[in-house]
Amino acid sequence: MNKYIIVILMTLLSGLAFSQEKVEGVVLDSEGANALSLSGANVYWQDSQTGVVTDFDGKFSIPYLKEFNRLIISYVGFESDTLTVNEPKNLRISLKPSNELDEVVVQQERDAIQKTYFSPQNVITVNSAELLKAACCNLAESFETNPAIDVNLSDGLTGTKQIQMLGLTSPYLLITQENIPMVRGASQAYGLSFTPGTWIESIQITKGAGSVVNGYESISGQINTELVKPLTDNAVFVNGYANQNGRYELNTHFNRKLTDKWSTGLYIHGNKRTQIEDDNEDGFLDAPLGEQLNVMNRWQYQDAEKGFVSFFNVRFLNDEKQVGQVDFDPDTDKFTTNAWGSEINTRRFDTSLKLGYVFPELPFQSLGFQTSYSYHKQDSYFGFRTYDINHESLYSNLIFNSIIGDTRNKFKTGITFAYDGYDEMVTATDYSRVDNSVGAFFEYSYENLEKVSLTAGIRVDNHNRLGTFVTPRFHIRYTPWEKGSLRGSFGRGKRAANIFAENQSLFASARTINIDDAGGSVYGLDPEDAWNYGVSFLQGFNFLNKKGDISLDYYITDFRNQIVVDWENPQEVSFYNLDGDSSAKSFQIELNYELLTRLNFRTSYKFYDVSTDYKSGSLQKPLLAQDRFFINLGYETEAKENGSQWKFDYTLHSMGKKRLPDTSSNPVEYQLAEFSSPYNHMNAQITKVFSKNIEVYLGAENLSDIQQSNPVLGANDPFGPNFDTTIVFAPIMGRMFYGGFRFKI
């Protein structure tokens, strides 16, 4: 019934439309005929919650608000500009590189986390300032200070962080890099750790059904990362990191502007851990030993006069992990009962190209082409089990943008081609397959920024295993009063589950693996199919001359079919098609407020109701806290003329109890309670900025020193029938201190 009420509400809202006066324009990097457009520049009214970001071509459109007349334009690497605007108009704004001016510029900083009031989609943008509040060594660790995403350990061995949104794990999220699908297929388990934190310029988090332009796989939402740009990133950037548990990391960026049109960057990341940690003294490593080398070369081309802009990336990665018992030696103990161990070695090559063309005589019309190729090779074993997967992927997307009548009515249309070749071996069983699809999409957007905006899209895809199917998606935003934004959305998502790549932690157990072959096209199973419905409300306010906002959202994901991962029997794990109901319901309330000047407070509460009909009955999802409470406090001292200042950040995650998988059939010493105990997890960081060129930071994770005492069941008999590393419900590592530095010129 809930979903029908939501659909009726959104249908009623879609009938509302009013005119709106706007300020439009383009932001450029200089004056003159050779000026280049700046994509991603911030444009906002001073002292208001109203702001936008320039599009791929540097263009923006922001509602004209009579109560404000100071328009601020800012961009990394350029001096901000403040304009007095007293009427709707068209603007051509040229920013100056920051190293060309000597005078002091007074400006207002954008929020580290930005929420849009005018987009039909519920989008949260996390910029680099927010990412610097924590160690943020990679993408998986970039959400510790953001309540929209939940971060959990996937198992008791690898230390891999798994993210969840709306109560569902990352396979149900579309994870893209500059809107090109990235973490999927073979990279699903560890791919989030393959994007270093310093490479990230910003992250856009979309709750609910995403855009049809980006594909059909998004079910609970989308996470898109924007990488730093060679043209605007620092010429030289160095980041060093070390923690008390023996993890060392170094990141270097080298950027150069070659000509007026060409810029390039070389980005090198390396990390290593050789220190053995076993705080709980169970004989197993608390964190993996290993190393990673990650190198990317990025090229940027812009010709504003002719309307061309392009990005080209090429990257190579080598990642090696060793987990298991502390005395395991791969040279002598591999595939023996001397000691239990595992190695996970990954080599990956990927390249991508984005090419955009804006019609010079029709600036509202553009053509974009995206393509990527990747080859992912993982060789691994877990005790006596081997798991090897090679994944070759090719993706292309052609997008045409234009208008219908006027700029309030816009549309996107195009075609998509995708190829995935899997060479997958589970011990002695070959699960190799080839997936390919071709699809077409059309998306219409109506923008009336005063009251209503909406986006309605549909795509049709033909997949060799999923068949021919239709993916509709709809988003609407209504402004009932000032600084209020009411949104609704619904949409369908469909995907082929890669059951082994997505659940690799299950290999590190004594469980037998069962697949209930139903004659489906993927592992004998049917594709996953779900609808997502959601409503949200965002209200900005000013209290005691300090700004803030409060937001509420409620989302339902209703599965028509789901691949049920059933591990309620501690001796086995079963994969089978859903027979009955499965749904994920998520409610969140969040408050952001500036308590004092430069002291920001953020808090949220989330409630999850995620239930599935198993063969043994309807159960709540295991290892998921139904109640979560979050607090973040951030304070910065006033920056001096040379940029010197202090920054302080504190984060609390309060986790409610979690249902644990049934272990009642185990011997008494290997049985767990029905629910875990609630706990609080606290992180903090202090940063000293000495100048615009150098800063150092010190931090601590898990300040309350919470540790799960038995993350490895049967640790005393790893080759026995009760060995299990999958039931992880609390931190494994205790209190951990770290430090690092950042240098840039």
Side-chain angles (χ1 to χ4, degrees):
M1 178 62 70
N2 289 335
K3 64 184 180 183
Y4 297 112
I5 295 174
I6 294 169
V7 172
I8 292 170
L9 175 62
M10 291 185 293
T11 304
L12 292 173
L13 289 176
S14 65
L16 301 173
F18 301 87
S19 62
Q20 168 66 37
E21 294 180 310
K22 295 178 287 186
V23 176
E24 299 178 321
V26 62
V27 180
L28 306 170
D29 71 339
S30 62
E31 298 178 352
N34 294 323
L36 304 177
S37 60
L38 295 179
S39 170
N42 298 310
V43 182
Y44 57 101
W45 294 108
Q46 185 174 342
D47 300 323
S48 83
Q49 297 287 332
T50 303
V52 296
V53 177
T54 57
D55 63 16
F56 195 65
D57 310 308
K59 295 182 174 60
F60 70 90
S61 177
I62 189 170
Y64 172 66
L65 304 178
K66 295 180 180 179
E67 61 269 34
F68 303 105
N69 68 349
R70 302 284 285 173
L71 189 68
I72 297 177
I73 302 93
S74 65
Y75 195 79
V76 176
F78 289 80
E79 294 292 340
S80 296
D81 198 0
T82 303
L83 305 177
T84 300
V85 180
N86 295 313
E87 61 182 355
K89 60 174 61 177
N90 243 297
L91 300 171
R92 179 184 171 94
I93 301 163
S94 301
L95 299 182
K96 296 182 179 180
S98 57
N99 59 3
E100 289 188 3
L101 295 179
D102 294 324
E103 67 265 25
V104 175
V105 178
V106 179
Q107 64 184 57
Q108 175 182 333
E109 291 187 2
R110 297 304 311 271
D111 294 334
I113 293 182
Q114 302 161 26
K115 298 181 179 180
T116 167
Y117 283 80
F118 295 98
S119 169
Q121 294 182 327
N122 187 0
V123 181
I124 302 165
T125 300
V126 181
N127 66 26
S128 57
E130 182 70 18
L131 300 179
L132 297 179
K133 290 183 176 182
C136 188
C137 296
N138 55 58
L139 181 58
E141 300 169 333
S142 300
F143 305 102
E144 295 288 353
T145 62
N146 180 3
I149 301 293
D150 303 318
V151 183
N152 303 293
L153 287 173
S154 64
D155 57 73
L157 295 179
T158 64
T160 303
K161 298 287 184 70
Q162 184 183 69
I163 63 172
Q164 297 181 343
M165 187 165 73
L166 307 185
L168 296 172
T169 53
S170 56
Y172 297 107
L173 288 163
L174 178 62
I175 302 176
T176 59
Q177 181 177 289
E178 300 186 326
N179 285 316
I180 295 176
M182 182 57 62
V183 180
R184 56 186 301 276
S187 65
Q188 191 65 250
Y190 309 114
L192 289 170
S193 66
F194 296 162
T195 300
T198 66
W199 293 8
I200 301 171
E201 182 180 75
S202 65
I203 302 173
Q204 293 81 46
I205 302 169
T206 303
K207 288 188 174 183
S211 169
V212 295
V213 175
N214 297 319
Y216 55 81
E217 292 183 317
S218 170
I219 290 178
S220 61
Q222 178 178 347
I223 295 177
N224 179 61
T225 59
E226 289 290 327
L227 303 183
V228 294
K229 311 295 189 293
L231 180 63
T232 53
D233 191 24
N234 297 286
V236 177
F237 175 85
V238 182
N239 166 237
Y241 167 92
N243 68 30
Q244 73 178 89
N245 296 324
R247 178 176 175 177
Y248 302 96
E249 183 172 310
L250 183 67
N251 296 280
T252 58
H253 302 187
F254 303 99
N255 296 284
R256 185 175 181 182
K257 186 175 181 179
L258 302 176
T259 68
D260 289 340
K261 298 181 176 62
W262 284 97
S263 301
T264 186
L266 178 65
Y267 309 92
I268 304 172
H269 163 89
N271 70 65
K272 189 169 186 176
R273 187 201 298 269
T274 57
Q275 183 172 310
I276 292 175
E277 291 288 329
D278 182 20
D279 286 347
N280 54 22
E281 298 182 348
D282 62 0
F284 277 76
L285 293 169
D286 293 340
L289 307 178
E291 59 184 32
Q292 182 186 119
L293 176 65
N294 201 341
V295 181
M296 180 177 68
N297 185 210
R298 185 161 163 84
W299 293 79
Q300 180 176 355
Y301 175 84
Q302 283 189 256
D303 188 340
E305 185 176 353
K306 295 183 179 179
F308 284 101
V309 62
S310 179
F311 290 93
F312 174 73
N313 298 344
V314 60
R315 182 179 69 148
F316 172 78
L317 172 139
N318 187 76
D319 183 82
E320 299 178 355
K321 297 183 180 72
Q322 177 187 323
V323 301
Q325 291 183 289
V326 294
D327 54 354
F328 175 76
D329 183 347
D331 294 332
T332 59
D333 301 333
K334 181 178 179 180
F335 299 140
T336 74
T337 58
N338 297 340
W340 193 98
S342 167
E343 289 184 289
I344 306 165
N345 298 326
T346 303
R347 290 178 296 281
R348 181 180 175 91
F349 170 82
D350 59 63
T351 183
S352 64
L353 171 69
K354 294 182 67 175
L355 179 63
Y357 174 71
V358 180
F359 293 78
E361 303 301 322
L362 303 170
F364 52 79
Q365 189 166 286
S366 63
L367 186 66
F369 177 68
Q370 304 169 326
T371 187
S372 66
Y373 169 81
S374 66
Y375 182 75
H376 182 107
K377 179 178 176 58
Q378 177 184 320
D379 299 318
S380 55
Y381 62 90
F382 303 81
F384 288 109
R385 283 177 170 157
T386 60
Y387 179 65
D388 299 329
I389 182 169
N390 300 335
H391 178 192
E392 187 174 28
S393 177
L394 178 64
Y395 170 86
S396 295
N397 202 19
L398 181 66
I399 309 167
F400 177 72
N401 298 264
S402 193
I403 63 173
I404 302 173
D406 58 47
T407 55
R408 291 178 302 173
N409 299 277
K410 301 177 181 179
F411 72 89
K412 298 178 182 179
T413 188
I415 56 174
T416 306
F417 170 78
Y419 167 88
D420 293 288
Y422 296 95
D423 182 7
E424 188 174 31
M425 292 288 296
V426 181
T427 308
T429 306
D430 189 347
Y431 289 98
S432 299
R433 75 177 196 271
V434 171
D435 293 354
N436 56 68
S437 67
V438 61
F441 58 86
F442 181 86
E443 185 175 81
Y444 166 77
S445 298
Y446 175 77
E447 295 182 359
N448 188 318
L449 298 178
E450 181 178 322
K451 287 295 181 182
V452 173
S453 58
L454 64 88
T455 299
I458 190 167
R459 64 177 296 134
V460 180
D461 290 271
N462 179 266
H463 192 287
N464 66 321
R465 295 182 183 274
L466 280 60
T468 300
F469 56 97
V470 177
T471 305
R473 290 177 184 167
F474 180 81
H475 306 264
I476 188 168
R477 184 272 311 164
Y478 172 61
T479 301
W481 48 71
E482 184 182 3
K483 296 183 181 179
S485 183
L486 176 64
R487 293 185 180 89
S489 69
F490 68 84
R492 183 191 189 191
K494 197 168 184 178
R495 63 184 294 270
N498 292 282
I499 59 175
F500 297 119
E502 295 166 8
N503 298 280
Q504 293 187 43
S505 60
L506 295 171
F507 292 131
S509 71
R511 296 172 182 264
T512 59
I513 298 175
N514 301 319
I515 302 176
D516 291 2
D517 192 327
S521 57
V522 185
Y523 305 102
L525 304 170
D526 296 331
E528 295 191 295
D529 191 353
W531 284 79
N532 182 280
Y533 311 86
V535 291
S536 65
F537 182 71
L538 172 64
Q539 179 66 56
F541 63 87
N542 283 283
F543 179 68
L544 300 178
N545 293 320
K546 302 295 182 183
K547 67 177 182 178
D549 64 72
I550 186 169
S551 60
L552 301 93
D553 60 54
Y554 180 64
Y555 287 88
I556 301 172
T557 305
D558 187 12
F559 284 91
R560 290 185 173 182
N561 184 58
Q562 185 179 25
I563 305 305
V564 179
V565 184
D566 186 346
W567 41 314
E568 295 304 315
N569 182 336
Q571 275 69 53
E572 65 179 35
V573 57
S574 297
F575 299 94
Y576 50 83
N577 289 327
L578 175 69
D579 182 13
D581 297 324
S582 180
S583 65
K585 300 173 183 177
S586 167
F587 170 77
Q588 176 174 329
I589 180 170
E590 180 181 343
L591 171 68
N592 294 274
Y593 183 63
E594 186 182 16
L595 292 173
L596 301 169
T597 302
R598 297 182 300 279
L599 175 61
N600 294 303
F601 172 73
R602 182 183 307 133
T603 186
S604 76
Y605 168 76
K606 284 188 286 192
F607 175 79
Y608 293 129
D609 179 9
V610 184
S611 62
T612 301
D613 284 348
Y614 295 85
K615 289 183 177 180
S616 56
S618 180
L619 296 170
Q620 285 288 316
K621 181 179 178 180
L623 305 180
L624 177 70
Q626 283 195 295
D627 299 281
R628 288 173 178 258
F629 182 66
F630 169 92
I631 289 178
N632 177 260
L633 282 167
Y635 176 72
E636 299 180 1
T637 62
E638 185 175 0
K640 297 181 179 178
E641 186 174 344
N642 67 345
S644 173
Q645 64 178 152
W646 287 89
K647 299 180 181 180
F648 305 87
D649 195 82
Y650 168 82
T651 303
L652 165 70
H653 295 271
S654 182
M655 303 289 184
K657 65 180 183 179
K658 303 176 183 179
R659 187 185 75 82
L660 304 183
D662 188 2
T663 56
S664 59
S665 62
N666 279 343
V668 174
E669 63 268 29
Y670 302 126
Q671 291 180 11
L672 298 174
E674 184 179 357
F675 292 93
S676 67
S677 299
Y679 67 88
N680 295 322
H681 186 270
M682 295 181 285
N683 301 331
Q685 180 175 286
I686 300 173
T687 303
K688 170 57 178 175
V689 181
F690 291 97
S691 68
K692 295 178 181 179
N693 302 109
I694 190 166
E695 59 189 66
V696 298
Y697 56 93
L698 295 172
E701 296 180 359
N702 194 9
L703 282 167
S704 51
D705 202 27
I706 296 296
Q707 288 182 271
Q708 182 176 334
S709 60
N710 56 345
V712 180
L713 285 182
N716 60 332
D717 185 16
F719 297 98
N722 304 114
F723 177 65
D724 196 345
T725 70
T726 61
I727 307 178
V728 177
F729 50 84
I732 297 174
M733 305 285 286
R735 187 183 296 110
M736 185 272 290
F737 295 94
Y738 65 85
F741 70 91
R742 303 181 186 101
F743 172 76
K744 52 191 175 182
I745 55 176

